[in-house]
Amino acid sequence: MSQLSLRNLSKSYGAFTVFDGLNLEADAGEIIVVFGGSGTGKTILLRLIAGVEDQTSGTVELNGEDMTDVPPERRNVGMAFQNFALFPHMSARENIAAPLRAKSASESALNAGIDRVSKLLKIDRVLGHAPRELSNGQKQRTSLARALAAEPKFLLLDDPLRNVDAKLRYEMRLELPRLLRQSGATVLYVTQDYKEAMALADRIAVLQGGKFVQVATPQDIYEKPATLQVARLFGDPVINTLDVTLQAQGKGAAADVAGYKISIPGNVQSHVSKTVVLAMRPDAVTLNTSKSGVKATVMAITPLNERTVLLLQAENGWEFLASLSAAAETPKAGSTVTAHFESSDIHLFDKETGERLHG
Amino acid sequence: MDHTSTLEKIIRGVLLTLVVIFFMFPIFWIFLMSFQTNESILRIPPSLAFTPTFDNYFALVTGEMRTAAGSLKIEFMRNLWNSVLLSTISVALSLVLGIPAAYAFARFKFKLGEDIAFTLLSFRFAPPLLVLLPLSLYFKTLGLTNTYIGLIWVYQLICLPLILWIVRGYFEDLSPDIEHAHRIAGYGWFATFWKIALPLARPGIAAAGLLAFIFAWNNFVFALVLASADKQPVTVGALAFVTASGIQYGQIAAAIVLSVLPTFVLALFAQRYLVEGLSLGAVKG
């Protein structure tokens, strides 16, 4: 039995539909990251699950129980808000104590509970402070502590790292998986940072256009994106794309990528002679090996983290990116290179719908 | 970063002094008048030199007014008590009714919500004289003329819209997420209203209450028409100083000083809230 299920969940405000017919099953203790751009309704989804807003149709089930008429205070969820939503007139300690007090915990259980989460989140020194005296990082930890304090079965985290500085975000990205694992709760984590999603998730649910376009493990999302949009969202630098017309080649198909003829894997014969979108990750491109490839000119060189990103232009004018490891030899700007990539690195998408065309 | 030259400082000082004198002089003059006899007030030319007397205050407290034509009974202390009673109870009632209503208007969208809120506000811009005639007729039928209950009811026209609209603004400024967080932490809606919304809107509530109190205290025309001497507040009671043998300026001044005192003390006490309340939306988390 899954712990959390969304069945045909829809929400609209008047004529405006936020999402329509969402389905999701999460197992006990699973960390699901809901990923999507701003305005896709991620936060509203969490609000529906928490019960502070009502769905238009469909059901939220927690522990196999329909939550439609259950008020938020009886859903056994903890939630951390993007804007922290700390109670400004209470100290950090009282903020964390609130969910424990609601359960009429004894004084000793209360102290033990506060102690546990505040040590875990390293805010035991600032418990006496009012929220306005806390730094953003401390506020964020306090709001997480408040969500964790009563040991809820479900944790809803609304982009908790959005409003903290880059350094802390990086630290928390490393810390959070352990912390969430330790809580044992089923977690729904909302973010629009794909790296955060990849780092935290057991599975990622990509919310787009009011639907989950793909619910899969981070590896599957990266390696087998269900749509061109998903492929574009995950990965930095962004995936290279080119419109190609598929040609028949024996039993399979092949494409002409700016003069480089490459066979296409998978069962795609039905798309032969149609125009499709071919895509490959910049890090799948290697330069100046003995293998054949696209003849291209190096237009620009940009270092990005541990890698070097090259903007290349093929002879037919197609511009694409190659991301080389810093150890690789970097050609000079203006020089001509041969850019090679393997058939297995190719993703093929329908031009109209953007859907993935092969396995 | 101090660019102000000495000249600027001087001009600013002079201007500020002028403004303060302009606004404070009448109050100061009335304060002086309250310690003078009618004769010394009406001297021409007026003079700041006089022998202070407490006769005016004495007359007010004892209720014996001595005029050229003889002794006259006045009900000033009773009027003052009426003012306190009417204003306090009216504001208290308005708070009890207005705060939950303000919360509802701020948080929930319901049918005719805006219309109802606007209708309540419109009570403030209808001239009182317009409603007084029908009101006094109704009050006669209902037996509410010259009762405290009737007056307190009419005072709701003054207090309720003010409290409703100021406090509503405060509630709207509070992030609903804070209340959501409290619900999710395991509390029902009433506990959330009581422990989160109410304490966070307290500056607004205090300011609205104080403003409503001042407006109620200064009201004249409702009490003039709808109540007789024993229920009238100071504003109406002051009319008694216009006597057959002349206007008792000294006693009017003393009465003003005494009747300003309660609101003055209250305003001093809640000054911080008052300023915040007037510059709406000053609660930031």
Side-chain angles (χ1 to χ4, degrees):
Chain A
M1 184 187 69
S2 60
Q3 278 264 310
L4 181 151
S5 22
L6 310 178
R7 295 197 206 286
N8 265 320
L9 196 65
S10 302
K11 176 72 185 174
S12 47
Y13 295 98
F16 177 69
T17 304
V18 184
F19 41 73
D20 187 20
L22 293 187
N23 286 291
L24 185 73
E25 307 281 335
D27 292 328
E30 198 179 8
I31 300 174
I32 298 220
V33 170
V34 178
F35 177 88
S38 39
T40 48
K42 306 183 298 293
T43 299
I44 294 169
L45 176 63
L46 291 196
R47 284 167 197 270
L48 295 190
I49 297 169
V52 292
E53 226 171 298
D54 294 328
Q55 65 264 35
T56 310
S57 65
T59 54
V60 173
E61 286 176 23
L62 301 179
N63 268 334
E65 217 182 306
D66 182 359
M67 289 286 129
T68 306
D69 295 318
V70 180
E73 61 268 25
R74 285 199 265 120
R75 293 193 179 196
N76 198 9
V77 302
M79 182 161 170
F81 292 77
Q82 188 189 310
N83 57 10
F84 313 129
L86 296 173
F87 312 135
H89 57 312
M90 298 182 191
S91 66
R93 188 176 195 284
E94 280 310 301
N95 267 279
I96 299 168
L100 292 164
R101 283 195 205 285
K103 289 187 162 178
S104 7
S106 69
E107 200 60 29
S108 60
L110 190 78
N111 289 330
I114 295 170
D115 222 39
R116 184 181 63 85
V117 288
S118 56
K119 285 224 168 82
L120 195 65
L121 286 155
K122 299 174 193 139
I123 43 168
D124 40 329
R125 282 158 188 276
V126 293
L127 284 180
H129 294 203
R132 68 173 173 281
E133 298 165 336
L134 299 175
S135 71
N136 267 359
Q138 288 164 339
K139 278 184 197 166
Q140 184 260 327
R141 282 158 185 269
T142 307
S143 89
L144 265 177
R146 185 177 64 186
L148 289 165
E151 303 183 308
K153 281 221 163 55
F154 304 93
L155 262 180
L156 309 173
L157 307 180
D158 186 2
D159 216 343
L161 302 186
R162 181 81 179 279
N163 291 327
V164 300
D165 60 79
K167 183 168 169 285
L168 184 73
R169 194 179 312 144
Y170 183 74
E171 277 174 28
M172 289 299 289
R173 213 184 276 159
L174 296 175
E175 263 177 67
L176 268 175
R178 183 178 55 91
L179 208 80
L180 298 179
R181 217 52 88 193
Q182 237 169 25
S183 76
T186 306
V187 180
L188 233 60
Y189 186 107
V190 156
T191 183
Q192 42 183 318
D193 179 337
Y194 88 93
K195 282 182 185 151
E196 215 169 296
M198 304 280 264
L200 290 168
D202 290 327
R203 284 190 295 154
I204 298 173
V206 184
L207 185 59
Q208 216 173 39
K211 300 262 184 214
F212 284 136
V213 288
Q214 189 169 16
V215 181
T217 61
Q219 194 183 358
D220 273 356
I221 296 258
Y222 192 76
E223 290 175 358
K224 293 177 184 167
T227 68
L228 182 58
Q229 277 292 344
V230 174
R232 283 199 172 122
L233 288 170
F234 288 80
D236 184 21
V238 73
I239 197 163
N240 293 310
T241 59
L242 176 70
D243 288 359
V244 295
T245 307
L246 290 188
Q247 304 153 357
Q249 185 192 56
K251 285 183 177 173
D256 180 347
V257 182
Y260 170 43
K261 193 157 184 179
I262 186 165
S263 59
I264 306 290
N267 189 17
V268 288
Q269 284 96 327
S270 57
H271 300 284
V272 162
S273 77
K274 280 185 198 159
T275 302
V276 296
V277 180
L278 180 145
M280 84 273 177
R281 302 257 175 222
D283 51 11
V285 178
T286 53
L287 298 183
N288 292 336
T289 54
S290 52
K291 294 167 187 160
S292 58
V294 180
K295 296 257 182 300
T297 313
V298 179
M299 306 297 287
I301 302 170
T302 319
L304 182 82
N305 299 330
E306 303 298 300
R307 303 184 74 85
T308 309
V309 177
L310 274 64
L311 175 63
L312 305 169
Q313 190 180 47
E315 282 162 351
N316 68 350
W318 174 49
E319 288 189 339
F320 61 105
L321 299 169
S323 166
L324 307 178
S325 75
E329 202 180 314
T330 311
K332 289 198 168 59
S335 62
T336 310
V337 294
T338 309
H340 170 79
F341 43 91
E342 299 287 339
S343 293
S344 56
D345 290 322
I346 282 178
H347 306 271
L348 221 54
F349 299 98
D350 189 290
K351 185 153 172 55
E352 300 296 314
T353 62
E355 271 167 43
R356 187 179 185 80
L357 292 178
H358 59 154
Chain B
M1 286 287 287
D2 196 3
H3 295 300
T4 43
S5 65
T6 326
L7 183 69
E8 260 181 287
K9 275 182 197 157
I10 292 169
I11 293 174
R12 188 179 297 171
V14 169
L15 287 176
L16 278 175
T17 313
L18 283 177
V19 169
V20 169
I21 289 173
F22 181 79
F23 283 108
M24 292 308 286
F25 183 75
I27 294 168
F28 176 68
W29 194 247
I30 284 168
F31 185 71
L32 290 185
M33 273 167 70
S34 72
F35 293 103
Q36 299 178 51
T37 58
N38 238 11
E39 293 74 50
S40 74
I41 293 168
L42 296 173
R43 253 181 324 191
I44 290 174
S47 157
L48 278 175
F50 60 90
T51 355
T53 164
F54 284 94
D55 278 358
N56 295 324
Y57 290 98
F58 190 73
L60 291 178
V61 175
T62 56
E64 292 274 338
M65 181 159 61
R66 272 159 307 188
T67 66
S71 180
L72 209 65
K73 280 209 91 60
I74 48 163
E75 300 266 10
F76 179 76
M77 290 318 278
R78 191 180 172 89
N79 291 149
L80 196 62
W81 170 242
N82 284 343
S83 274
V84 172
L85 199 74
L86 287 170
S87 305
T88 312
I89 297 179
S90 300
V91 171
L93 183 65
S94 280
L95 287 173
V96 169
L97 295 174
I99 293 170
Y103 186 70
F105 284 127
R107 278 287 177 265
F108 305 108
K109 287 214 176 345
F110 45 91
K111 226 178 165 185
L112 296 177
E114 279 311 309
D115 298 321
I116 296 169
F118 189 76
T119 306
L120 284 166
L121 179 67
S122 72
F123 293 162
R124 291 286 312 150
F125 44 74
L129 282 172
L130 200 73
V131 290
L132 260 174
L133 181 66
L135 212 54
S136 58
L137 291 176
Y138 282 129
F139 268 39
K140 221 158 250 157
T141 324
L142 293 167
L144 285 172
T145 318
N146 198 26
T147 59
Y148 285 125
I149 293 176
L151 280 178
I152 288 166
W153 193 358
V154 175
Y155 273 33
Q156 296 309 307
L157 285 177
I158 305 164
C159 301
L160 195 56
L162 207 66
I163 286 171
L164 186 85
W165 277 79
I166 294 179
V167 177
R168 177 191 181 176
Y170 266 78
F171 281 136
E172 278 172 350
D173 271 0
L174 298 179
S175 160
D177 277 347
I178 296 173
E179 287 168 51
H180 290 159
H182 198 251
R183 291 293 300 276
I184 293 167
Y187 298 88
W189 67 267
F190 186 75
T192 298
F193 172 70
W194 194 254
K195 287 194 179 145
I196 303 293
L198 219 49
L200 290 180
R202 201 171 346 175
I205 294 169
L210 184 64
L211 284 177
F213 186 87
I214 292 170
F215 276 104
W217 186 276
N218 289 344
N219 183 264
F220 173 75
V221 73
F222 284 133
L224 175 72
V225 177
L226 297 172
S228 60
D230 63 328
K231 301 286 189 315
Q232 276 167 347
V234 274
T235 42
V236 184
L239 284 180
F241 301 116
V242 184
T243 64
S245 58
I247 300 167
Q248 304 302 311
Y249 289 108
Q251 274 143 26
I252 289 178
I256 288 171
V257 171
L258 282 183
S259 64
V260 160
L261 223 51
T263 33
F264 186 70
V265 170
L266 206 63
L268 271 186
F269 178 71
Q271 195 181 26
R272 190 168 66 89
Y273 291 135
L274 188 65
V275 174
E276 277 181 22
L278 288 170
S279 57
L280 277 177
V283 263
K284 291 285 172 274

PDB file of all heavy atoms in Angstrom, chain A residues 99-117:
ATOM      1  N   PRO A  99       3.984  22.557  17.183  1.00  0.00           N
ATOM      2  CA  PRO A  99       3.347  21.286  16.834  1.00  0.00           C
ATOM      3  C   PRO A  99       3.371  20.263  17.975  1.00  0.00           C
ATOM      4  O   PRO A  99       2.481  19.419  18.057  1.00  0.00           O
ATOM      5  CB  PRO A  99       4.167  20.774  15.640  1.00  0.00           C
ATOM      6  CG  PRO A  99       5.361  21.620  15.559  1.00  0.00           C
ATOM      7  CD  PRO A  99       5.132  22.864  16.327  1.00  0.00           C
ATOM      8  N   LEU A 100       4.383  20.376  18.849  1.00  0.00           N
ATOM      9  CA  LEU A 100       4.435  19.451  19.984  1.00  0.00           C
ATOM     10  C   LEU A 100       3.355  19.807  21.004  1.00  0.00           C
ATOM     11  O   LEU A 100       2.683  18.937  21.560  1.00  0.00           O
ATOM     12  CB  LEU A 100       5.818  19.496  20.635  1.00  0.00           C
ATOM     13  CG  LEU A 100       6.953  18.935  19.775  1.00  0.00           C
ATOM     14  CD1 LEU A 100       8.308  19.365  20.300  1.00  0.00           C
ATOM     15  CD2 LEU A 100       6.862  17.419  19.712  1.00  0.00           C
ATOM     16  N   ARG A 101       3.187  21.112  21.233  1.00  0.00           N
ATOM     17  CA  ARG A 101       2.151  21.559  22.164  1.00  0.00           C
ATOM     18  C   ARG A 101       0.765  21.158  21.679  1.00  0.00           C
ATOM     19  O   ARG A 101      -0.108  20.823  22.467  1.00  0.00           O
ATOM     20  CB  ARG A 101       2.187  23.076  22.330  1.00  0.00           C
ATOM     21  CG  ARG A 101       3.296  23.560  23.228  1.00  0.00           C
ATOM     22  CD  ARG A 101       3.046  25.006  23.643  1.00  0.00           C
ATOM     23  NE  ARG A 101       4.283  25.689  23.984  1.00  0.00           N
ATOM     24  CZ  ARG A 101       4.945  25.494  25.117  1.00  0.00           C
ATOM     25  NH1 ARG A 101       4.485  24.644  26.013  1.00  0.00           N
ATOM     26  NH2 ARG A 101       6.070  26.139  25.351  1.00  0.00           N
ATOM     27  N   ALA A 102       0.590  21.227  20.355  1.00  0.00           N
ATOM     28  CA  ALA A 102      -0.722  20.874  19.805  1.00  0.00           C
ATOM     29  C   ALA A 102      -1.074  19.432  20.133  1.00  0.00           C
ATOM     30  O   ALA A 102      -2.241  19.078  20.274  1.00  0.00           O
ATOM     31  CB  ALA A 102      -0.727  21.084  18.292  1.00  0.00           C
ATOM     32  N   LYS A 103      -0.046  18.602  20.260  1.00  0.00           N
ATOM     33  CA  LYS A 103      -0.293  17.193  20.619  1.00  0.00           C
ATOM     34  C   LYS A 103      -0.342  17.019  22.126  1.00  0.00           C
ATOM     35  O   LYS A 103      -0.274  15.911  22.620  1.00  0.00           O
ATOM     36  CB  LYS A 103       0.825  16.324  20.039  1.00  0.00           C
ATOM     37  CG  LYS A 103       0.753  16.192  18.532  1.00  0.00           C
ATOM     38  CD  LYS A 103       1.773  15.180  18.055  1.00  0.00           C
ATOM     39  CE  LYS A 103       1.444  14.694  16.646  1.00  0.00           C
ATOM     40  NZ  LYS A 103       2.443  13.743  16.159  1.00  0.00           N
ATOM     41  N   SER A 104      -0.402  18.123  22.867  1.00  0.00           N
ATOM     42  CA  SER A 104      -0.319  18.171  24.328  1.00  0.00           C
ATOM     43  C   SER A 104       0.779  17.260  24.856  1.00  0.00           C
ATOM     44  O   SER A 104       0.541  16.412  25.705  1.00  0.00           O
ATOM     45  CB  SER A 104      -1.660  17.870  25.007  1.00  0.00           C
ATOM     46  OG  SER A 104      -2.632  17.471  24.096  1.00  0.00           O
ATOM     47  N   ALA A 105       1.983  17.479  24.312  1.00  0.00           N
ATOM     48  CA  ALA A 105       3.127  16.725  24.796  1.00  0.00           C
ATOM     49  C   ALA A 105       3.469  17.162  26.220  1.00  0.00           C
ATOM     50  O   ALA A 105       3.278  18.326  26.571  1.00  0.00           O
ATOM     51  CB  ALA A 105       4.320  16.967  23.876  1.00  0.00           C
ATOM     52  N   SER A 106       3.944  16.271  27.026  1.00  0.00           N
ATOM     53  CA  SER A 106       4.350  16.614  28.391  1.00  0.00           C
ATOM     54  C   SER A 106       5.585  17.513  28.313  1.00  0.00           C
ATOM     55  O   SER A 106       6.263  17.572  27.287  1.00  0.00           O
ATOM     56  CB  SER A 106       4.685  15.351  29.174  1.00  0.00           C
ATOM     57  OG  SER A 106       5.869  14.786  28.649  1.00  0.00           O
ATOM     58  N   GLU A 107       5.852  18.229  29.421  1.00  0.00           N
ATOM     59  CA  GLU A 107       6.964  19.177  29.435  1.00  0.00           C
ATOM     60  C   GLU A 107       8.287  18.495  29.077  1.00  0.00           C
ATOM     61  O   GLU A 107       9.092  19.039  28.328  1.00  0.00           O
ATOM     62  CB  GLU A 107       7.058  19.836  30.816  1.00  0.00           C
ATOM     63  CG  GLU A 107       7.823  21.139  30.846  1.00  0.00           C
ATOM     64  CD  GLU A 107       7.218  22.218  29.935  1.00  0.00           C
ATOM     65  OE1 GLU A 107       5.975  22.203  29.711  1.00  0.00           O
ATOM     66  OE2 GLU A 107       7.979  23.058  29.439  1.00  0.00           O
ATOM     67  N   SER A 108       8.479  17.280  29.564  1.00  0.00           N
ATOM     68  CA  SER A 108       9.747  16.598  29.293  1.00  0.00           C
ATOM     69  C   SER A 108       9.821  16.141  27.839  1.00  0.00           C
ATOM     70  O   SER A 108      10.856  16.277  27.191  1.00  0.00           O
ATOM     71  CB  SER A 108       9.913  15.400  30.237  1.00  0.00           C
ATOM     72  OG  SER A 108       8.857  14.478  30.056  1.00  0.00           O
ATOM     73  N   ALA A 109       8.696  15.665  27.307  1.00  0.00           N
ATOM     74  CA  ALA A 109       8.671  15.254  25.902  1.00  0.00           C
ATOM     75  C   ALA A 109       8.878  16.461  24.999  1.00  0.00           C
ATOM     76  O   ALA A 109       9.547  16.388  23.965  1.00  0.00           O
ATOM     77  CB  ALA A 109       7.342  14.578  25.570  1.00  0.00           C
ATOM     78  N   LEU A 110       8.309  17.587  25.441  1.00  0.00           N
ATOM     79  CA  LEU A 110       8.448  18.836  24.689  1.00  0.00           C
ATOM     80  C   LEU A 110       9.913  19.233  24.589  1.00  0.00           C
ATOM     81  O   LEU A 110      10.444  19.496  23.507  1.00  0.00           O
ATOM     82  CB  LEU A 110       7.652  19.928  25.405  1.00  0.00           C
ATOM     83  CG  LEU A 110       7.461  21.250  24.680  1.00  0.00           C
ATOM     84  CD1 LEU A 110       6.379  21.097  23.635  1.00  0.00           C
ATOM     85  CD2 LEU A 110       7.092  22.342  25.659  1.00  0.00           C
ATOM     86  N   ASN A 111      10.577  19.253  25.752  1.00  0.00           N
ATOM     87  CA  ASN A 111      11.987  19.635  25.773  1.00  0.00           C
ATOM     88  C   ASN A 111      12.836  18.667  24.963  1.00  0.00           C
ATOM     89  O   ASN A 111      13.733  19.086  24.233  1.00  0.00           O
ATOM     90  CB  ASN A 111      12.493  19.701  27.216  1.00  0.00           C
ATOM     91  CG  ASN A 111      11.897  20.893  27.945  1.00  0.00           C
ATOM     92  OD1 ASN A 111      11.594  21.916  27.323  1.00  0.00           O
ATOM     93  ND2 ASN A 111      11.710  20.754  29.241  1.00  0.00           N
ATOM     94  N   ALA A 112      12.545  17.388  25.103  1.00  0.00           N
ATOM     95  CA  ALA A 112      13.315  16.384  24.371  1.00  0.00           C
ATOM     96  C   ALA A 112      13.136  16.572  22.875  1.00  0.00           C
ATOM     97  O   ALA A 112      14.107  16.520  22.102  1.00  0.00           O
ATOM     98  CB  ALA A 112      12.877  14.979  24.794  1.00  0.00           C
ATOM     99  N   GLY A 113      11.900  16.825  22.461  1.00  0.00           N
ATOM    100  CA  GLY A 113      11.603  17.005  21.038  1.00  0.00           C
ATOM    101  C   GLY A 113      12.323  18.217  20.460  1.00  0.00           C
ATOM    102  O   GLY A 113      12.929  18.150  19.391  1.00  0.00           O
ATOM    103  N   ILE A 114      12.261  19.330  21.210  1.00  0.00           N
ATOM    104  CA  ILE A 114      12.909  20.561  20.745  1.00  0.00           C
ATOM    105  C   ILE A 114      14.417  20.351  20.678  1.00  0.00           C
ATOM    106  O   ILE A 114      15.080  20.758  19.716  1.00  0.00           O
ATOM    107  CB  ILE A 114      12.564  21.744  21.672  1.00  0.00           C
ATOM    108  CG1 ILE A 114      11.076  22.032  21.600  1.00  0.00           C
ATOM    109  CG2 ILE A 114      13.358  22.981  21.292  1.00  0.00           C
ATOM    110  CD1 ILE A 114      10.597  23.004  22.636  1.00  0.00           C
ATOM    111  N   ASP A 115      14.931  19.689  21.701  1.00  0.00           N
ATOM    112  CA  ASP A 115      16.357  19.402  21.769  1.00  0.00           C
ATOM    113  C   ASP A 115      16.822  18.606  20.553  1.00  0.00           C
ATOM    114  O   ASP A 115      17.818  18.929  19.918  1.00  0.00           O
ATOM    115  CB  ASP A 115      16.611  18.582  23.039  1.00  0.00           C
ATOM    116  CG  ASP A 115      17.862  19.066  23.738  1.00  0.00           C
ATOM    117  OD1 ASP A 115      18.062  20.289  23.759  1.00  0.00           O
ATOM    118  OD2 ASP A 115      18.626  18.209  24.232  1.00  0.00           O
ATOM    119  N   ARG A 116      16.066  17.575  20.265  1.00  0.00           N
ATOM    120  CA  ARG A 116      16.437  16.662  19.180  1.00  0.00           C
ATOM    121  C   ARG A 116      16.547  17.413  17.841  1.00  0.00           C
ATOM    122  O   ARG A 116      17.593  17.389  17.199  1.00  0.00           O
ATOM    123  CB  ARG A 116      15.373  15.551  19.074  1.00  0.00           C
ATOM    124  CG  ARG A 116      15.664  14.473  18.053  1.00  0.00           C
ATOM    125  CD  ARG A 116      14.542  13.437  18.024  1.00  0.00           C
ATOM    126  NE  ARG A 116      13.274  14.029  17.600  1.00  0.00           N
ATOM    127  CZ  ARG A 116      12.908  14.184  16.325  1.00  0.00           C
ATOM    128  NH1 ARG A 116      13.704  13.794  15.357  1.00  0.00           N
ATOM    129  NH2 ARG A 116      11.744  14.726  16.010  1.00  0.00           N
ATOM    130  N   VAL A 117      15.469  18.102  17.464  1.00  0.00           N
ATOM    131  CA  VAL A 117      15.491  18.735  16.140  1.00  0.00           C
ATOM    132  C   VAL A 117      16.430  19.933  16.086  1.00  0.00           C
ATOM    133  O   VAL A 117      17.041  20.190  15.051  1.00  0.00           O
ATOM    134  CB  VAL A 117      14.084  19.166  15.642  1.00  0.00           C
ATOM    135  CG1 VAL A 117      13.282  17.951  15.281  1.00  0.00           C
ATOM    136  CG2 VAL A 117      13.363  20.015  16.658  1.00  0.00           C
TER     137      VAL A 117
END
